[in-house]
Amino acid sequence: MLPTEQTIELNNGQKMPLLGLGVYKATGDGIVEDAIFHAVNAGYRLIDTASVYKNEDGVGRGIRELSIPREELFITTKIWNNAQRVGDIEGSFNRSLDRLKLDYVDLYLIHWPVPGCFKETWRELEKINRSGRAKSIGVSNFTVLQLEELAAVSGIVPAVNQIELHPLWNRSDILAYCRLKGIAVQAYSPLARGAYLNNTIISRIAQKYNKTTAQVGLRWSIQKGVAVIPKSVHPDRIISNAQIFDFELSAIDMQLIDELNEDYRSSSIPEDLR
């Protein structure tokens, strides 16, 4: 089954691909454009960027170079912390749209929950959503408590909570909460930056299915109903990461991977939030 056929329905009825391309640190002449080209040819339809990645302009060029209609793509970007602190939500969003050269994005996220700011930021995202320039709005790196704080001031439930999630940090508590509230979970760093790719148990499972350990880890997430956005600029890895829809892990193997959890964080928290 092709990656383009695998989607999750968000709480507003919009369909989001289960597989996407993360482009964090994909900067430099033509790098992100090439990554998008190879990803779309491999069946990806979701591209995830952010203002802080400094490559929205390249993402926009990559999109324009494609031969498929814009409406077949799902484009995500995010607002950074400093824009939240100075209250420049609308301006930051407009600059992202201008760099992307798009009329709208499919998903706009609060990148990090800046204390004392994120509730007001959310109110501004609601306005952007109502304008039609962001078809869905959501959050990233939010805890259950922070999601509860949003719920107390807003009737709009985030469509997505994008968090670090992988076999070494399965986020069972927040995943259960988001399921209960109808919030889709999307995993960044789903490969834990390679931290579990040589794990003995995952290696044994990968051999059983004739798959790579990366493919097993991504498949584990997908079977939990969690969307994934593995980051790569290497064509072979981009293609390999998409080959996760032609097999299914058994319940026993899913449980074995669940038991690997050690609350391991592979990504860093921004310095201004530490």
Side-chain angles (χ1 to χ4, degrees):
M1 192 170 287
L2 294 172
T4 51
E5 299 171 347
Q6 301 296 305
T7 61
I8 183 170
E9 186 169 327
L10 305 181
N11 57 25
N12 61 359
Q14 187 181 12
K15 291 185 177 180
M16 180 178 76
L18 275 170
L19 173 70
L21 177 71
V23 297
Y24 175 56
K25 290 189 175 180
T27 56
D29 188 27
I31 290 177
V32 73
E33 294 92 328
D34 288 347
I36 290 171
F37 172 80
H38 291 293
V40 169
N41 281 349
Y44 293 68
R45 290 296 180 268
L46 188 155
I47 311 298
D48 179 274
T49 185
S51 60
V52 76
Y53 297 171
K54 305 299 182 186
N55 61 11
E56 288 173 315
D57 51 352
V59 170
R61 284 192 298 272
I63 292 168
R64 293 192 297 277
E65 291 169 1
L66 299 173
S67 59
I68 63 173
R70 162 68 181 97
E71 57 269 22
E72 292 185 14
L73 297 172
F74 191 105
I75 308 301
T76 300
T77 193
K78 315 175 192 76
I79 185 166
W80 188 241
N81 305 343
N82 57 349
Q84 293 189 63
R85 289 194 175 93
V86 300
D88 188 26
I89 315 310
E90 176 77 13
S92 180
F93 177 76
N94 287 335
R95 288 190 293 275
S96 285
L97 273 191
D98 183 63
R99 287 188 289 264
L100 289 163
K101 297 292 186 290
L102 296 177
D103 296 324
Y104 68 92
V105 293
D106 298 273
L107 180 62
Y108 194 50
L109 302 178
I110 299 177
H111 206 150
W112 286 88
V114 177
C117 298
F118 68 82
K119 285 184 279 189
E120 184 57 38
T121 299
W122 184 252
R123 294 187 184 98
E124 294 300 312
L125 261 63
E126 290 178 329
K127 296 176 185 178
I128 292 169
N129 178 228
R130 287 194 292 268
S131 76
R133 292 172 295 152
K135 290 190 173 183
S136 296
I137 54 175
V139 298
S140 181
N141 299 297
F142 272 53
T143 64
V144 169
L145 178 60
Q146 289 156 345
L147 290 170
E148 288 280 292
E149 289 185 52
L150 274 193
V153 299
S154 172
I156 297 181
V157 178
V160 174
N161 187 16
Q162 186 184 108
I163 57 176
E164 180 176 350
L165 186 153
H166 46 71
L168 301 183
W169 197 18
N170 63 34
R171 313 300 298 273
S172 57
D173 290 348
I174 194 164
L175 184 55
Y177 176 87
C178 287
R179 283 175 178 157
L180 181 66
K181 299 297 183 179
I183 303 170
V185 174
Q186 186 178 54
Y188 71 81
S189 296
L191 301 176
R193 301 191 178 184
Y196 65 80
L197 298 187
N198 293 317
N199 178 274
T200 301
I201 291 173
I202 294 182
S203 295
R204 190 180 306 130
I205 293 172
Q207 187 174 20
K208 173 182 174 181
Y209 294 92
N210 195 28
K211 288 291 182 176
T212 68
T213 50
Q215 289 165 340
V216 167
L218 294 173
R219 181 67 202 183
W220 169 85
S221 293
I222 292 293
Q223 284 186 216
K224 285 182 168 291
V226 175
V228 292
I229 47 170
K231 174 255 175 180
S232 184
V233 296
H234 303 286
D236 56 340
R237 293 179 193 168
I238 290 172
I239 293 167
S240 178
N241 289 340
Q243 296 169 346
I244 56 175
F245 298 106
D246 58 352
F247 75 109
E248 184 172 344
L249 297 169
S250 70
I252 292 175
D253 291 332
M254 289 290 290
Q255 180 63 32
L256 286 171
I257 298 173
D258 284 344
E259 292 171 358
L260 296 176
N261 180 66
E262 54 185 64
D263 294 347
Y264 172 79
R265 180 190 291 273
S266 68
S267 58
S268 59
I269 298 172
E271 288 186 7
D272 62 343
L273 291 180
R274 293 174 189 171

